[in-house]
Every structure is written in C-alpha cells, then in structure tokens.
C-alpha cells in the first residue's frame, strides 16, 4: 500500500507544488488547510507521516502537533517560515520529529521524510532518533566538487570544506542544476527566501566567495559562470 502523507498547509502555492512533487515520489496525499481540519483528517486518513505548517488558520501547527502527539507516534515534520519559528518549534518540544524551513528543496524534504518513515517502520526499539543516519546521504557531485545535503558536507578536489549556510545552499542549488542557467531571481528566492529585501549585491558577494573556493583561478571562473543579463550557471569541468 502506498505511503500516505497528510499535508497541513494553508498556502495554495505550497499545497500544489508539494502535492505534485510528492505524488511523483509515489506518496498518496491528503491535504488539510487549517489546524482543526488537520485533526479531523488525521483520524479519518490515518497518515504514515504528517507535514505540518506552523502558521495555520484556526489552530497553530504547534497545537496541532501536541494534540496529534498525545494520541499517536506518527512521524511529524514541522514546516517553518522564519527562523523565529524554528526556535519556537525546537524550544517548546512539541513532539515533532524534524523541522524544515521555507523555502526548502524538495529533494531535502523527501530525504528527511524517507528517513523518518524508515525509522517508524523499524520501530523505536531498533533505531532510535539518536542513531546516526547512514546510507541515506545522496551526495551531488559535479566534477571534483560534491555536496552531501544530509550531512551538510562539501568536498572540493578531495578536500572537505566548511561552508557557511547560504554559500552551502547556493552551491547545492547550482550543482543540482548543473548545465542549466539559474536566474538571479530564482537564486535569491531559493536561497534567501520570498521576503528577501537585502541588496541584490548579496548574491554576487556569495558567488564571489564560492568562486574563491571552487575555481582554480577565481578571477577566471570556469565552473560558476556568469550568464550576462540572466544569472549564473554551474558548468561541469570538461575532461582534458
Ligand atoms: Ca502557513
């Protein structure tokens, strides 16, 4: 039987995108659009995992999480829109198994969902939440640069490199889309979020920092190339 996911989300754009992507991953989807509907639907739909937005009409995601947790061990991933909400979710110990912040990459969300579903399947006696995660890191490699989203690790020319969060997300996005042009708008939206109000130079500053780390000659970039008037593209190094 297909794994059933209950999506609790009031923003139509997210509902549509999630439904399409998760169905493509083979999941069956039910959608609740407010907190009260989520609780009703939880009882009838008996989902294998709940994807729960924090900011909801009628009843907050935090309260929904507490009420579901009072009667079920179902894996719950909280979806937060701001870092302040992350603090709330983590600080209150509402019983969520994981959380993810908007905007997130579908790939990362699905990896976390599968990880929780596996743990739930094998039960708390065999695999605890504290068990180090193995086998599920799917590194993205292009040439001699690779990122491991699950482990938050970057390897450049065989060397492990520590990157600040935004640089890490920017590099991941570029590698995932290697060979394709990413417009400035898309990069800013995906890495900094919808409510990005900073100077658009911020993107260029981060690109420059990344080039200093991944390019052989940072002033003559051959990997992170500028597509004038559009944005940037990650070019796989050609075999010499
Ligand atoms: Ca919301």
């Amino acid at each position: 039987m297909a794994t059933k996911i209950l999506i609790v989300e009031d923003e139509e754009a997210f509902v549509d995108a999630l439904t399409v992507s998760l169905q493509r991953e083979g999941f069956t989807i039910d959608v609740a659009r407010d907190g009260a509907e989520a609780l009703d639907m939880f009882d009838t739909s008996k989902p294998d995992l709940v994807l729960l937005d924090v900011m909801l009409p009628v009843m907050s995601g935090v309260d929904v999480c507490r009420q579901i947790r009072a009667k079920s061990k179902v894996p719950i991933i909280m979806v937060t829109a701001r870092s302040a909400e992350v603090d709330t979710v983590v600080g209150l110990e509402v019983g969520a198994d994981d959380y993810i912040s908007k905007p997130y990459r579908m790939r990362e969300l699905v990896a976390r969902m599968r990880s929780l579903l596996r743990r739930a399947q094998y039960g708390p006696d065999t695999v605890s939440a504290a068990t180090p995660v193995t086998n599920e890191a799917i590194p993205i490699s292009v040439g001699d640069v690779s990122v491991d989203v699950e482990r938050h690790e970057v390897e450049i020319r065989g060397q492990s490199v520590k990157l600040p969060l935004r640089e890490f997300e920017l590099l991941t996005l570029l590698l995932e889309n290697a060979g394709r042009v990413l417009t400035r708008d898309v990069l800013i939206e995906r890495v900094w979020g919808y409510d990005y109000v900073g100077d658009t130079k911020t993107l260029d500053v981060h690109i420059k920092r990344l080039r200093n780390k991944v390019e052989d000659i940072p002033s003559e970039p051959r990997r992170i190339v500028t597509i004038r008037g559009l944005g940037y593209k990650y070019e796989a190094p050609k075999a010499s």
Side-chain angles (χ1 to χ4, degrees), residues 73-107:
K73 287 182 160 55
V74 67
I76 301 175
I77 299 180
M78 302 286 283
V79 182
T80 63
R82 285 184 291 278
S83 51
E85 290 178 9
V86 174
D87 296 343
T88 307
V89 170
V90 175
L92 289 177
E93 293 176 2
V94 294
D97 298 276
D98 200 357
Y99 66 89
I100 191 161
S101 296
K102 291 176 184 171
Y104 47 79
R105 274 180 297 278
M106 196 55 64
R107 184 183 181 124

Side-chain angles (χ1 to χ4, degrees), residues 1-3 8-9 23 51-52 59 72-73 77-78 82 85 115 119 157 174 177 197 202 216 235 237 239:
M1 228 171 74
T3 303
V8 188
E9 172 64 78
Q23 279 174 344
L51 198 57
L52 180 58
M59 182 191 292
S72 166
K73 287 182 160 55
I77 299 180
M78 302 286 283
R82 285 184 291 278
E85 290 178 9
S115 163
R119 277 185 216 161
R157 289 182 278 271
L174 285 163
N177 294 283
V197 286
T202 303
D216 296 318
E235 204 95 71

Side-chain angles (χ1 to χ4, degrees), residues 158-178:
Q159 300 280 312
S160 173
V161 176
K162 286 248 178 291
L163 289 185
L165 183 63
R166 300 296 192 193
E167 283 177 49
F168 180 85
E169 296 193 332
L170 188 55
L171 181 61
T172 304
L173 199 53
L174 285 163
L175 290 178
E176 276 180 333
N177 294 283

Side-chain angles (χ1 to χ4, degrees), residues 8-11 14 53-57 79 81 85 102:
V8 188
E9 172 64 78
D10 57 314
E11 287 168 70
F14 274 99
D53 192 34
V54 172
M55 292 293 283
L56 291 169
V79 182
E85 290 178 9
K102 291 176 184 171

Side-chain angles (χ1 to χ4, degrees), residues 28 32 52 71 73 75 84 99 109 135 149 165 190 196 228:
T28 302
L52 180 58
K71 58 186 170 187
K73 287 182 160 55
Y99 66 89
L109 174 64
N135 290 331
V149 176
L165 183 63
R190 294 285 297 276
Y196 177 84
R228 211 153 286 289

